[in-house]
């Protein structure tokens, strides 16, 4: 009887985990970052909606902030496939899901060839269509590396 109760509880707990609406959104965010790190354009295009946008609040030059808006489709077409190695790590501080929209928010760190070039806060909006979550819009701040610690940007293991 005890074994049956434990098995029933474990099954119930697993079902609750599977029912967490944040789980597939987090998985989509993980897939996005894996694709971003890769040189595989098709993998990145598969997780990004071409009709979405990227909004960048560039504060690298503290005296003249700059807001840039780039369509996802243009970013995908112009993505650099050179020998540079990029890595971006984000801490998912908040994940919110309502219906077919999921939002992942938190600090990130971005490196090129192992050196931090900038960090900031990411706001990633995922859209679900036909049971598939894709990145619709992303907004992020860009600040210099010396601001990363105060911002709480995660470290990247080398």
């Amino acid at each position: 009887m005890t074994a049956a109760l434990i098995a029933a509880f474990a099954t119930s707990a697993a079902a609750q985990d599977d029912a967490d609406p944040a789980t597939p959104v987090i998985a989509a965010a993980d897939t996005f970052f894996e694709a971003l790190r890769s040189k595989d354009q098709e993998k990145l295009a598969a997780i990004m909606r071409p009709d979405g946008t990227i909004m960048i609040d560039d504060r690298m030059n503290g005296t003249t902030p700059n807001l840039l808006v780039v369509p996802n489709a243009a970013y995908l077409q112009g993505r650099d496939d050179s020998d540079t190695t990029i890595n971006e790590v984000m801490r998912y501080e908040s994940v919110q899901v309502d219906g077919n929209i999921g939002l992942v928010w938190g600090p990130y760190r971005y490196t090129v060839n192992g050196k931090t070039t900038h960090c900031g806060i990411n706001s990633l909006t995922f859209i679900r269509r036909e049971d598939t979550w894709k990145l619709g819009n992303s907004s992020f701040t860009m600040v210099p590396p010396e601001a990363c610690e105060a911002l709480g940007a995660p470290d990247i293991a080398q």
Side-chain angles (χ1 to χ4, degrees), residues 24-41:
V25 174
I26 291 168
D30 290 345
T31 299
F32 167 71
F33 286 113
E34 289 167 16
L36 188 64
R37 285 187 282 274
S38 79
K39 301 281 185 194
D40 188 341
Q41 284 295 100

Side-chain angles (χ1 to χ4, degrees), residues 3 5 14 23 28 65 73 97 129 131:
L5 286 173
T23 300
V97 181
R129 291 272 193 235
D131 290 330

